[in-house]
Amino acid sequence: MSFIMVQIGTNLKNIDNSGVKLVKCIGALAGPRQRHASFGSIITVSIQKLRPKRRLFLKVKKGQVMQALIIRTKIPSNNSHNFSFFENSVVLLNNQKKLIGTRIFGCLPKNLRYSKFLRLTFLAKGLVN
């Protein structure tokens, strides 16, 4: 069984209300030769698909390169709680590593409570172990 989380070329779902539906990973920011990223990592993404309504008022455009934080992965995390989600998901960040969206759809892992992205836990509907 392969434990590769997210690598270059992986399609990811966006779960905030920034207007983006689908993004594609084009690089990991952990190091110059970093190929894989896991839960809680910041990656570089290219915007592939936008949500159909309100395209005129969006802050982002198709094909734009941005940074994103990985929130959910299909592969179980390697900490004491081995749980996984049904999809790979991210939230978009700006250049100052602040959230673009103002809401997050769905629940998040409780591990984010102890990271520098504590604000995510307040915007989500709930936390899971």
Side-chain angles (χ1 to χ4, degrees):
M1 182 175 181
S2 155
F3 284 103
I4 297 172
M5 300 286 192
V6 175
Q7 58 186 357
I8 295 174
T10 304
N11 289 325
L12 303 146
K13 184 180 175 186
N14 187 28
I15 59 168
D16 60 6
N17 65 341
S18 60
V20 177
K21 193 172 190 178
L22 191 69
V23 297
K24 184 179 237 179
C25 176
I26 59 172
L29 295 179
R33 294 188 180 186
Q34 184 76 21
R35 292 185 182 182
H36 312 298
S38 61
F39 167 76
S41 300
I42 297 176
I43 58 173
T44 307
V45 295
S46 173
I47 296 173
Q48 299 291 310
K49 195 172 185 183
L50 299 173
R51 297 202 187 272
K53 294 184 179 180
R54 301 188 60 151
R55 285 192 180 183
L56 299 174
F57 306 109
L58 297 180
K59 298 179 183 177
V60 293
K61 296 177 183 164
K62 185 177 176 183
Q64 188 174 353
V65 176
M66 303 191 79
Q67 293 179 356
L69 176 72
I70 299 175
I71 297 296
R72 302 178 191 157
T73 55
K74 287 184 179 181
I75 303 292
S77 59
N78 53 2
N79 58 2
S80 61
H81 305 291
N82 272 342
F83 63 92
S84 61
F85 291 96
F86 290 120
E87 76 246 345
N88 295 323
S89 319
V90 296
V91 291
L92 292 179
L93 305 172
N94 62 8
N95 292 335
Q96 291 82 27
K97 295 191 173 46
K98 304 233 182 201
L99 294 173
I100 290 180
T102 56
R103 287 187 308 177
I104 294 177
F105 304 116
C107 57
L108 300 179
K110 212 176 245 186
N111 302 358
L112 285 173
R113 186 178 284 179
Y114 308 109
S115 70
K116 61 182 178 180
F117 296 102
L118 180 66
R119 183 162 186 236
L120 288 173
T121 60
F122 300 123
L123 296 175
K125 286 187 176 181
L127 300 173
V128 294
N129 285 332

